Amino acid sequence: MLIRKPSDIKSSEITPESVYLNRRSFIRGAGSIAGAAASLLVPGSAAALATDPKASGETLDKISETAFSTEEALTPWKDVIRYNNFYEFGTNKRDPYDNAQDFKPRPWTIKVIGECEKPGDLDLEDFLKPHALEERIYRLRCVEAWSMVVPWVGVPLAPILKRFEPTSKAKYVAFRTLFNPGQMPGQKVPVLDWPYVEGLRIDEAMHPLTIFAVGLYGRVLPNQNGAPIRLVVPWKYGFKSIKSIVTIRFTEEEPPTSWNVAAPHEYGFYRDA
Ligand SMILES: Nc1nc2c(c(=O)[nH]1)N[C@H]1C(S)=C(S)[C@@H](COP(=O)(O)O)O[C@H]1N2
Ligand SMILES: [Mo]
């Protein structure tokens, strides 16, 4: 699939366009983190970030905003990091904030396998380099009950996937979260069939708004938001946006997904290796 520049993308291809896309907010080539990140901080957030012990993450340099951002007001930092779904750290919305702080998100490698010519690894550090993240703040409203507008820092998934040369059999992309009950205490409880898995059709995975997020509010991802790397699929329900990804697999068959498996489903739970 051809990846086009934002100006080439018809609005009709971006669904639901009116909800979160507003081209007028396109800030072309705006310079540094100073300008870009500062403009993203709603009043009070800069101070909140500076003093929040759970915002220890390093800042990400040389990033500015993409064409895809909404002009809607951002959800304050304190809410973005305190109201999460991440069952690996508990099932209440506040649990990930309370329980994810000892999680070690680095070093981190993602294995890319399955229906592709060049299976291999992705190293998280490559995503954090300034050139990789240039112009990569996506201010997106994601579809979910709490529907937050978050300034994600990330990169489009499509060019990353294409590096591995998916074959014509690659009709889906399956994603898997880390399984490590020592670090993810919620995995000791059988609320889901661990590890968490999700899948997208290849065209959904290649959509320009499907991103790998490695940060928010100009900093590396807080653990509770899916550190160190997660999907953001803004027009899909939140559960599609799988967190702490360790494996990507190209498949011909539709892969199982955690929330489907949680409902009765044959025990063909997806595993690799
Ligand atoms: N590994 C993993 N990824 C996950 C989940 C989860 O429990 N485990 N919850 C999903 C759901 S239901 C939602 S709504 C979003 C929430 O992302 P947020 O906490 O950054 O808002 O993460 C998704 N990704
Ligand atoms: Mo969700």
Side-chain angles (χ1 to χ4, degrees):
M1 181 185 164
L2 205 70
I3 297 303
R4 292 157 297 174
K5 295 195 294 295
S7 56
D8 299 325
I9 296 166
K10 285 198 234 88
S11 58
S12 58
E13 294 176 31
I14 298 170
T15 318
E17 192 238 8
S18 59
V19 179
Y20 51 75
L21 181 71
N22 189 331
R23 294 281 163 61
R24 282 171 300 163
S25 67
F26 188 22
I27 303 165
R28 180 84 220 160
S32 65
I33 179 79
S39 72
L40 287 169
L41 296 172
V42 292
S45 274
L49 269 168
T51 56
D52 188 339
K54 295 184 179 178
S56 52
E58 75 200 61
T59 52
L60 296 165
D61 284 334
K62 297 205 172 63
I63 44 176
S64 58
E65 198 147 348
T66 70
F68 297 112
S69 291
T70 171
E71 285 184 338
E72 291 176 90
L74 291 173
T75 304
W77 158 268
K78 64 174 175 35
D79 300 323
V80 175
I81 65 160
R82 277 180 186 77
Y83 196 86
N84 301 100
N85 251 359
F86 201 173
Y87 276 26
E88 284 82 344
F89 297 102
T91 55
N92 294 319
K93 299 290 182 284
R94 167 73 191 232
D95 286 344
Y97 176 80
D98 289 331
N99 301 333
Q101 305 311 323
D102 294 333
F103 180 65
K104 299 272 177 296
R106 288 160 85 175
W108 194 273
T109 305
I110 300 179
K111 286 219 160 310
V112 185
I113 54 179
E115 291 294 344
C116 58
E117 300 293 345
K118 296 187 171 160
D121 290 350
L122 289 167
D123 182 355
L124 173 78
E125 301 308 318
D126 293 337
F127 289 91
L128 301 177
K129 290 179 183 148
H131 68 86
L133 290 173
E134 220 173 325
E135 286 188 43
R136 294 298 191 224
I137 293 173
Y138 292 77
R139 187 191 298 229
L140 302 172
R141 175 179 292 283
C142 293
V143 181
E144 188 55 81
W146 53 95
S147 194
M148 296 181 177
V149 181
V150 177
W152 299 105
V153 182
V155 292
L157 194 56
I160 296 166
L161 294 182
K162 288 208 255 169
R163 276 192 236 159
F164 298 89
E165 299 182 11
T167 69
S168 58
K169 286 184 173 173
K171 305 235 166 35
Y172 297 89
V173 189
F175 301 88
R176 201 185 66 179
T177 294
L178 178 69
F179 181 68
N180 185 338
Q183 282 207 53
M184 296 176 140
Q187 290 177 332
K188 293 173 183 159
V189 187
V191 284
L192 289 176
D193 194 359
W194 308 112
Y196 193 100
V197 288
E198 250 312 326
L200 294 172
R201 284 198 324 260
I202 190 95
D203 62 301
E204 297 171 327
M206 295 291 188
H207 191 288
L209 275 171
T210 302
I211 61 169
F212 257 158
V214 294
L216 55 82
Y217 268 103
R219 297 188 177 227
V220 297
L221 274 186
N223 288 344
Q224 61 270 34
N225 291 86
I229 187 159
R230 65 170 291 170
L231 273 187
V232 174
V233 193
W235 74 98
K236 292 266 170 181
Y237 281 101
F239 58 79
K240 284 284 171 194
S241 296
I242 181 172
K243 297 173 165 180
S244 305
I245 297 164
V246 290
T247 311
I248 297 174
R249 183 173 197 142
F250 296 102
T251 68
E252 187 165 19
E253 305 297 327
E254 185 183 304
T257 68
S258 283
W259 296 103
N260 282 349
V261 171
H265 194 274
E266 79 172 16
Y267 191 73
F269 191 67
Y270 183 75
R271 282 169 207 281
D272 58 80

